[in-house]
Amino acid sequence: MDSTTLDVDGSVMEGGGQILRVSAALSCITGTAIKISKIRAGRSTPGLRPQHLCGLQLLRDMCAGSLDGAVIGSTVISLAPGKLTSGKHLADPQTAGSVGLLLQASLPCALFTDASTQLCLKGGTNADMAPQIDYTVKVLKPILEKFGVHFDCDIRMRGYYPKGGGEVVVTVNPIKQLSPITMTDRGTITKIYGRAFVAGVLPYKLAKDMSTAAVRTIRREIKDLYINIPSLQEKEKACGNGNGIIIIAESSTGCLFAGSALGKKGVYVDKVGIEAAEILLRNIRHHGCVDEFLQDQLIIFMALANGTSRIRTSAVTLHTQTAIHIAEQLTQAKFTISKSEDDQNNNLTFIIECHGAGLSNPNL
């Protein structure tokens, strides 16, 4: 192994696929060769799963690099990156593996190419234990625009567990340098909206029931806002059967929060609507500026940005701590986390501050 190769322990902290995504993306962007060992060591099925393998192969192709040890079940891989180049890239795990997670790894890399990049990502668009594609478009995308990141997301086909079959085409514009962001003032919640959907053979009534249950739950705490959660039947643009809901809250200062849930066999649809509503309420009670799902997704962009970024959060998640650990290993970024007491509402929030590495795109 080359002496300049950085060793990454895949079992630390969160110990899952996130370590792969963040470290492989930063490897490609910084040109640092990495060896990741003990991949997903604590999981019930350790090593690479199809979606992880597919993500690594996508990054290898984007940077014309070499990838060793990349087979399903492998617990050690080595990535030696080449030069990031624009073009069209396809990633298809041939499972319901999350499209959103494939994008998490590849989007930062596409920003550091020489021209527009098109990513055709296949799999599950609305998968469990991962951001729904609606979250990516409605929450992540507008916040990333604050860094200067611009991408288009064309949802050509929705795919659900267990079949997958979804397809999203993402077009990413490169950037010379990311700008830092400040999100410390939540303001007041001004809008709540979303979508409840059914696809395939499932009856439309299920979508209406999810929406009704969600609105009823939110109404118990928030009485003065119009809540708009239309019910939708996905027909032509859906592969397989599925149902779910996403609810988004927007604040007066442009902060975005979401709660979502997917239907499962044997679970009453009312419960799906209530679960999404309760997740949303939990994330707006604390007066942070990002929800628990966004905080870790912003870390890589804060680390790459030119300047100091600050975000206010509720409890810092293990995913976020893991992303910070990897970002500090692979870049010159420095993070600090400090407690922030809100005397008025007796809310404990945290400020995550990052002195970014200020990486410039060498291809522009």
Side-chain angles (χ1 to χ4, degrees):
M1 191 176 74
D2 188 338
S3 61
T4 56
T5 299
L6 182 76
D7 281 310
V8 176
D9 183 342
S11 69
V12 298
M13 302 169 92
E14 183 271 332
Q18 191 203 23
I19 294 175
L20 286 170
R21 290 187 292 276
V22 178
S23 56
L26 287 173
S27 163
C28 294
I29 292 165
T30 60
T32 309
I34 56 169
K35 179 183 179 182
I36 311 173
S37 55
K38 301 184 204 165
I39 293 167
R40 300 180 68 254
R43 297 299 195 259
S44 55
T45 49
L48 297 177
R49 304 306 303 143
Q51 66 269 29
H52 306 119
L53 176 60
C54 184
L56 287 168
Q57 290 168 334
L58 170 61
L59 296 195
R60 174 202 63 198
D61 295 347
M62 290 176 76
C63 75
S66 66
L67 181 62
D68 293 324
V71 291
I72 289 169
S74 172
T75 56
V76 183
I77 66 103
S78 297
L79 174 63
K83 182 186 171 186
L84 281 166
T85 49
S86 55
K88 292 185 178 182
H89 299 281
L90 169 69
D92 182 3
Q94 297 183 331
T95 66
S98 165
V99 165
L101 294 181
L102 286 173
L103 185 61
Q104 245 181 53
S106 53
L107 174 62
C109 300
L111 297 172
F112 286 84
T113 62
D114 54 340
S116 177
T117 296
Q118 192 180 83
L119 304 167
C120 179
L121 309 175
K122 299 191 175 190
T125 55
N126 300 74
D128 220 4
M129 307 294 291
Q132 293 193 39
I133 195 64
D134 308 274
Y135 185 95
T136 303
V137 173
K138 299 287 188 192
V139 179
L140 179 66
K141 185 175 183 285
I143 301 302
L144 289 187
E145 285 171 3
K146 296 174 188 285
F147 289 97
V149 172
H150 292 283
F151 65 96
D152 289 318
C153 217
D154 178 11
I155 304 167
R156 296 196 174 168
M157 182 69 71
R158 287 178 180 270
Y160 311 102
Y161 181 81
K163 272 188 177 175
E167 180 179 339
V168 177
V169 175
V170 183
T171 307
V172 188
N173 296 321
I175 190 169
K176 183 66 189 165
Q177 210 166 39
L178 279 87
S179 303
I181 66 162
T182 299
M183 294 179 70
T184 52
D185 175 14
R186 213 276 301 267
T188 54
I189 299 298
T190 54
K191 284 184 195 169
I192 297 177
Y193 52 91
R195 70 193 297 273
F197 68 87
V198 290
V201 299
L202 300 179
Y204 175 64
K205 181 182 182 302
L206 299 188
K208 294 192 83 160
D209 289 350
M210 282 187 293
S211 174
T212 303
V215 171
R216 195 172 59 236
T217 305
I218 295 166
R219 274 275 168 263
R220 288 189 196 131
E221 269 185 54
I222 298 170
K223 298 184 166 50
D224 54 346
L225 279 183
Y226 174 59
I227 302 168
N228 181 27
I229 308 172
S231 312
L232 303 160
Q233 177 115 40
E234 303 277 7
K235 286 193 172 148
E236 295 78 25
K237 286 193 167 186
C239 178
N241 305 318
N243 66 293
I245 181 169
I246 181 165
I247 317 160
I248 295 153
E250 204 172 297
S251 86
S252 54
T253 58
C255 300
L256 295 163
F257 309 86
S260 64
L262 294 169
K264 292 185 185 74
K265 238 184 184 158
V267 176
Y268 285 116
V269 285
D270 285 31
K271 279 198 166 165
V272 181
I274 292 165
E275 183 190 345
E278 286 179 342
I279 292 169
L280 177 69
L281 290 169
R282 179 174 83 214
N283 277 286
I284 57 182
R285 271 184 210 122
H286 59 62
H287 287 259
C289 295
V290 298
D291 65 30
E292 65 196 273
F293 314 105
L294 188 64
Q295 48 172 270
D296 68 283
Q297 296 187 64
L298 298 183
I299 296 302
I300 190 169
F301 299 98
M302 292 168 73
L304 293 166
N306 181 31
T308 302
S309 293
R310 298 174 85 235
I311 60 171
R312 184 185 298 278
T313 72
S314 61
V316 178
T317 66
L318 185 56
H319 270 91
T320 298
Q321 293 170 47
T322 308
I324 288 171
H325 171 71
I326 300 294
E328 289 189 330
Q329 268 192 289
L330 274 146
T331 71
Q332 299 296 307
K334 284 284 165 279
F335 286 84
T336 55
I337 300 171
S338 53
K339 283 184 185 176
S340 172
E341 201 97 42
D342 174 355
D343 296 330
Q344 266 182 319
N345 302 292
N346 205 18
N347 277 315
L348 179 64
T349 56
F350 295 83
I351 301 286
I352 303 175
E353 184 171 288
C354 173
H355 297 286
L359 260 72
S360 282
N361 185 342
N363 301 308
L364 281 186

